[in-house]
């Protein structure tokens, strides 16, 4: 095997309930993830060294600030795989990891996690390491809270810090309009603000209503059950987000902050997608509008030779 191409999806949280911090500093979550048909491609080719490069077709996504060293999440995924097999030092296999980015950066859509999941699947195959699905899941969880979901895809109920996943059945296709922006929000900063605003937080609230709506309800039922506990802290750090969410809801749209933001997600039925995307692009010219549908597959091999 000398080349493997994997696609890995963006995600949105239809519900994100957050509890008070655990002793390890992470926050217990009760969340519902949906994978979207916006994919980063991770292509790996055999090489002597381990390197990563990133391109964005048509400059759709701002990639200038992404690290290209060992701190890059795809590079960390590669190193984690090699470490687990004791393949370190001289003679360890290398690879050129080439990422084609379509998922907005630092937007709360788990683009870095998708790249890590893509690298795990691609390099496991390129290097013939033989890790099974459960082992990959464990390695993924060590890399980041959203990486296991990027492997799994579709729709899942997430608990723990987001890594304990159970599949959720959904009755329909969901269309989404995302309003993305270049001034990203730092996930740890949003969680810290959550702690400041909720010093007494206990366990996260359950996401039972949302999951019931997904299994049998209409788009309006799902929209009515969407909730994100990180919305208040994100809006506290960036008040414009709170104003936009308020306006969109006043217009009757099902708007929610995506993950820790600053991307705003608007749920709609597929027939209205095009019109709503155009309307929001005209109304919020300082944002970039991205239309997507879910659920979509988790990280999957598209080509291997
Ligand atoms: O797991 P991940 O590396 O994606 O998390 C990034 C940061 O987000 C963590 O360092 C932590 O500050 C915060 N976080 C959290 N609780 C979670 C997930 C993330 O506090 N469940």
């Amino acid at each position: 095997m000398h080349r493997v191409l994997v696609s890995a999806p963006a995600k949105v949280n239809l519900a994100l309930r957050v509890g008070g911090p655990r002793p390890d500093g992470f926050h217990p979550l009760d969340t519902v993830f949906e994978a979207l048909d916006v994919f980063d491609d991770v292509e790996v080719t055999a090489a002597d060294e381990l390197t990563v490069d990133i391109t964005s077709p048509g400059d759709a996504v701002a990639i200038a600030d992404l690290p290209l060293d060992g701190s890059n999440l795809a590079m960390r995924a590669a190193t984690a795989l090699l470490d687990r097999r004791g393949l370190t030092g001289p003679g360890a296999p290398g690879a050129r990891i080439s990422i084609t980015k379509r998922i907005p950066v630092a937007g709360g859509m788990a683009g870095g996690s998708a790249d890590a999941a893509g690298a795990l699947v691609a390099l496991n195959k390129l290097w013939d390491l033989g890790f099974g699905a459960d082992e990959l899941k464990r390695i993924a969880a060590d890399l980041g809270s959203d990486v296991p979901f990027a492997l799994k895809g579709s729709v899942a109920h997430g608990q723990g810090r987001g890594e304990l996943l159970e599949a959720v059945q959904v009755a329909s296709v969901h269309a989404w309009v995302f309003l993305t922006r270049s001034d990203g929000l730092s996930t740890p900063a949003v969680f810290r603000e959550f702690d400041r605003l909720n010093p007494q937080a206990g366990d996260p609230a359950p996401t039972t209503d949302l999951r019931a709506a997904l299994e049998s309800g209409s788009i309006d039922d799902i929209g009515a059950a969407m909730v994100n506990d990180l919305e208040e802290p994100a809006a506290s750090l960036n008040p414009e987000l709170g104003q936009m969410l308020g306006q969109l809801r006043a217009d009757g749209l099902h708007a929610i902050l995506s993950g820790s933001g600053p991307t705003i997600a608007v749920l709609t039925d597929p027939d209205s997608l095009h019109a709503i995307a155009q309307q929001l692009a005209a109304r919020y010219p300082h944002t970039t509008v991205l239309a997507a549908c879910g659920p979509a597959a988790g990280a999957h091999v598209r080509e291997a030779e």
Side-chain angles (χ1 to χ4, degrees):
M1 190 101 339
H2 62 95
R3 186 182 79 91
V4 181
L5 173 64
V6 170
S7 289
K11 63 88 183 162
V12 63
N13 301 79
L14 290 118
L16 179 53
R17 308 310 309 252
V18 180
R22 314 188 305 200
D24 66 2
F26 282 92
H27 293 70
L29 304 180
D30 199 308
T31 186
V32 178
F33 294 103
E34 177 163 299
L36 303 161
D37 63 354
V38 179
F39 295 96
D40 278 0
D41 290 340
V42 181
E43 183 184 53
V44 297
T45 43
D48 293 335
E49 307 271 301
L50 189 58
T51 59
V52 64
D53 53 83
I54 306 177
T55 52
S56 168
D59 292 329
V61 173
I63 55 173
D65 294 337
L66 291 175
L68 298 174
D69 59 10
S71 67
N72 180 286
L73 214 46
M75 289 285 268
R76 286 181 46 212
T79 312
L81 287 174
L82 294 174
D83 284 349
R84 298 259 174 151
R85 285 281 185 257
L87 295 167
T88 52
R96 175 178 174 191
I97 306 172
S98 297
I99 299 174
T100 304
K101 266 220 140 314
R102 300 187 189 87
I103 306 173
V105 174
M109 296 179 73
S113 302
D115 299 346
L120 288 178
V121 171
L123 292 170
N124 189 36
K125 196 165 178 72
L126 181 80
W127 290 332
D128 197 19
L129 298 174
F131 286 110
D134 284 346
E135 287 170 299
L136 279 189
K137 232 187 282 176
R138 274 193 293 276
I139 301 171
D142 286 345
L143 291 167
S145 309
D146 292 335
V147 184
F149 179 71
L151 282 179
K152 184 177 174 66
S154 202
V155 179
H157 179 208
Q159 291 180 289
R161 60 186 173 86
E163 85 287 19
L164 305 175
L165 299 171
E166 215 176 297
V168 173
Q169 302 307 318
V170 298
S172 55
V173 171
H174 308 140
W176 296 91
V177 179
F178 291 92
L179 300 171
T180 76
R181 48 203 294 152
S182 51
D183 52 342
L185 275 178
S186 140
T187 301
V190 175
F191 275 105
R192 274 197 304 275
E193 185 68 358
F194 174 89
D195 293 339
R196 194 181 70 78
L197 295 171
N198 301 279
Q200 307 295 338
D203 291 337
T207 53
T208 330
D209 291 354
L210 188 266
R211 282 179 280 133
L214 281 172
E215 279 172 26
S216 57
S218 66
I219 293 289
D220 285 338
D221 294 334
I222 298 166
M226 294 196 312
V227 58
N228 183 349
D229 288 337
L230 295 181
E231 201 167 289
E232 193 189 7
S236 162
L237 297 174
N238 183 344
E240 199 194 334
L241 286 176
Q243 288 157 16
M244 283 174 68
L245 285 161
Q247 285 168 357
L248 293 163
R249 287 177 186 147
D251 284 353
L253 293 170
H254 299 301
I256 192 171
L257 188 77
S258 180
S260 58
T263 298
I264 290 176
V266 177
L267 174 69
T268 174
D269 63 84
D271 291 345
S272 313
L273 179 63
H274 188 62
I276 291 182
Q278 277 194 328
Q279 177 196 329
L280 296 181
R283 178 157 172 195
Y284 298 107
H286 62 298
T287 67
T288 302
V289 168
L290 181 67
C293 287
H300 57 280
V301 175
R302 282 183 37 216
E303 293 171 21
E305 56 192 350

